[in-house]
Structures are given as C-alpha cells and as structure tokens.
Amino acid sequence: MAVLKIAVLISGRGSNLKALIEATQSPNFPAKIVCVMSNIADAKGLDHALVAGIPTFVINHRDYKKREDFERVLDEKLTSYGVQLICLAGFMRLLTSWFVDRWRDRLINIHPSLLPSFPGLDTHQKAIDYGVKFTGCTVHFVRSEMDHGPIIVQAAVPVAMEDTEATLAARVLLAEHRLYPQAVQFIAENRVNVFEEKAFVADTKAPRDMLINPEYKTTLVKNEPTT
Ligand code: GRF
C-alpha cells in the first residue's frame, strides 16, 4: 500500500510532531512525514525534524502583508512536496477560508480539550474552573471557524481535584501523543469518511485506558455520614 504523504505545521515546542515522527518511523505505518513547516524560525520543534532527517522550511508570516499571500507560498511549497494531508500541531496562525477550503478534509488539527467544550486558549484552566470531571483532546478536520470541524477522534482524560493547569496539561499531552498518530493512521488507512459534516471512523479500536474515573485523595473528599 502506498504511504500517505503528510506535512506537519508547527510554531513551537513540537512534542506532537515528535510523537508523529516516532509513529511514522515504525514499520508498516501507513503515512510518512515529507516535510515540516514552521512560521517561527527558531521554533524548538524543528530540531525533532532535523534529528529525524525530515526536510523543514520556515515561512515567516511577518514577511507578508496579507494572510492569503503567506498561505499561497505555503500552499505552493506543500504541493511541491506532494503533500496529501496537513497536520497542524501547535501551529499558531489562523488560516483563511481560501486555504481551508483548498485543503478541505485534508487538513487536521489537534486541540487539548473535548471539543466543542473549551475552544481557544487557556483550555486547561477553563476546564478546571468549570469543574468538569473529564477533559481530553480532539483531532478534527479544520474549518474556517477556530477549533471547529468534523471530529475524527477524541481521548477522555480525568481531571483530578488537585490538578493545576500544568499537571492537567501534562496529562492531556500524553493522550495527545497517542491520539494524533492514531488519527493519522485511520486517515491513511482510508477509514475516515465525512458525511453531513460529521466524521466517521470505520472499525476503530479505541484505547480504553483513558476512561478512568478521577482518583480523589481521601484528604480532599470527606465522607459525611448520610443519616
Ligand atoms: C498542544 O497542546 C496542541 O493540542 C495544541 O498546541 C499544543 C502544541 O504542543 N494545539 P506541541 O508543540 O505539540 O508540544
């Protein structure tokens, strides 16, 4: 089977890129990363690609007056690599509907919450402030509205009572690193269909160990007598 050619777009740390690199390096993985792009020249994540011998390029959005001019250069470059699927992984630029429509259903993103809850920034603090018992992460096809589009896969992650933004972010990130490669694999295996703006995955074997109830510390939860 021909492997799916993917591009990963980043702006920073690149831990999801690293997870995707590791997954694509394993034998029989149905996709390979043909290039990594960053809009930030010194994005740390670029090092992961360099170590793995994956071509990288930087397009600084500040060099372009209009968003679309930046995107046209990006589009040309991705096309020159024969990219079939774009994975946004901490890519901090909003894309115009021109670009999003051009790559419709071939452009995916990972967001660290169970969408449609908590889109945008500060997701973990919002989840803690709301008091949800589960948060998680979502891989979805990109539409013009931010953090919106057909949901491909989600992982649920418990929120513990003592969680801080940092501890919760770290727990969700572990789930992200498992979930993103899985979404790419499903797409590469042609198992994902979009119908009436919903994505369906055929024969998914979902990881079950993410759905664990939060473990409360007994010191934090007092058992009051009920009578
Ligand atoms: C991740 O939490 C991802 O869900 C969000 O941005 C963060 C990027 O982290 N879109 P990294 O650069 O992949 O480490």
Side-chain angles (χ1 to χ4, degrees):
M1 197 171 78
V3 293
L4 189 77
K5 294 178 181 170
I6 62 175
V8 184
L9 273 49
I10 63 167
S11 298
R13 179 179 56 180
S15 70
N16 277 287
L17 164 65
K18 186 164 178 272
L20 286 169
I21 291 173
E22 283 167 9
T24 52
Q25 281 171 341
S26 69
N28 303 324
F29 196 85
K32 72 167 186 178
I33 304 173
V34 293
C35 61
V36 171
M37 176 271 178
S38 173
N39 62 318
I40 307 288
D42 58 357
K44 279 228 171 320
L46 286 172
D47 294 345
H48 298 306
L50 293 175
V51 168
I54 298 167
T56 62
F57 59 94
V58 173
I59 306 175
N60 186 342
H61 58 275
R62 293 205 184 87
D63 292 343
Y64 301 88
K65 277 205 185 102
K66 287 199 236 144
R67 269 177 202 273
E68 250 188 65
D69 294 340
F70 161 76
E71 290 173 356
R72 276 182 203 284
V73 175
L74 173 60
D75 178 67
E76 268 170 34
K77 198 84 179 160
L78 295 170
T79 306
S80 76
Y81 277 103
V83 170
Q84 296 166 296
L85 177 74
I86 303 172
C87 303
L88 305 181
F91 182 67
M92 302 302 281
R93 296 296 298 163
L94 276 181
L95 295 163
T96 68
S97 50
W98 174 77
F99 189 90
V100 169
D101 289 346
R102 197 169 168 76
W103 288 88
R104 192 178 176 87
D105 298 343
R106 297 181 297 148
L107 171 60
I108 62 176
N109 180 45
I110 186 155
H111 181 75
S113 76
L114 289 175
L115 291 174
S117 292
F118 315 126
L121 297 173
D122 302 323
T123 39
H124 302 299
Q125 192 57 53
K126 285 178 194 161
I128 289 169
D129 291 347
Y130 201 95
V132 293
K133 303 302 175 231
F134 285 96
T135 182
C137 50
T138 304
V139 180
H140 63 97
F141 287 111
V142 173
R143 298 293 185 257
S144 329
E145 200 184 321
M146 192 181 54
D147 297 328
H148 181 85
I151 290 170
I152 303 162
V153 279
Q154 294 185 307
V157 176
V159 182
M161 243 176 134
E162 64 276 18
D163 263 331
T164 63
E165 192 175 4
T167 59
L168 185 56
R171 192 176 311 117
V172 172
L173 199 60
L174 289 178
E176 292 186 47
H177 296 164
R178 281 180 66 179
L179 193 69
Y180 215 178
Q182 196 173 56
V184 169
Q185 180 171 350
F186 288 155
I187 293 170
E189 290 172 347
N190 279 322
R191 286 160 63 185
V192 182
N193 286 302
V194 181
F195 179 68
E196 293 180 345
E197 280 301 85
K198 288 197 189 86
F200 298 93
V201 184
D203 302 324
T204 168
K205 290 183 181 55
R208 295 181 181 192
D209 51 347
M210 300 291 177
L211 288 167
I212 304 164
N213 258 316
E215 217 178 80
Y216 294 120
K217 284 187 177 163
T218 45
T219 48
L220 293 172
V221 181
K222 287 200 177 71
N223 281 324
E224 299 291 345
T226 48
T227 49

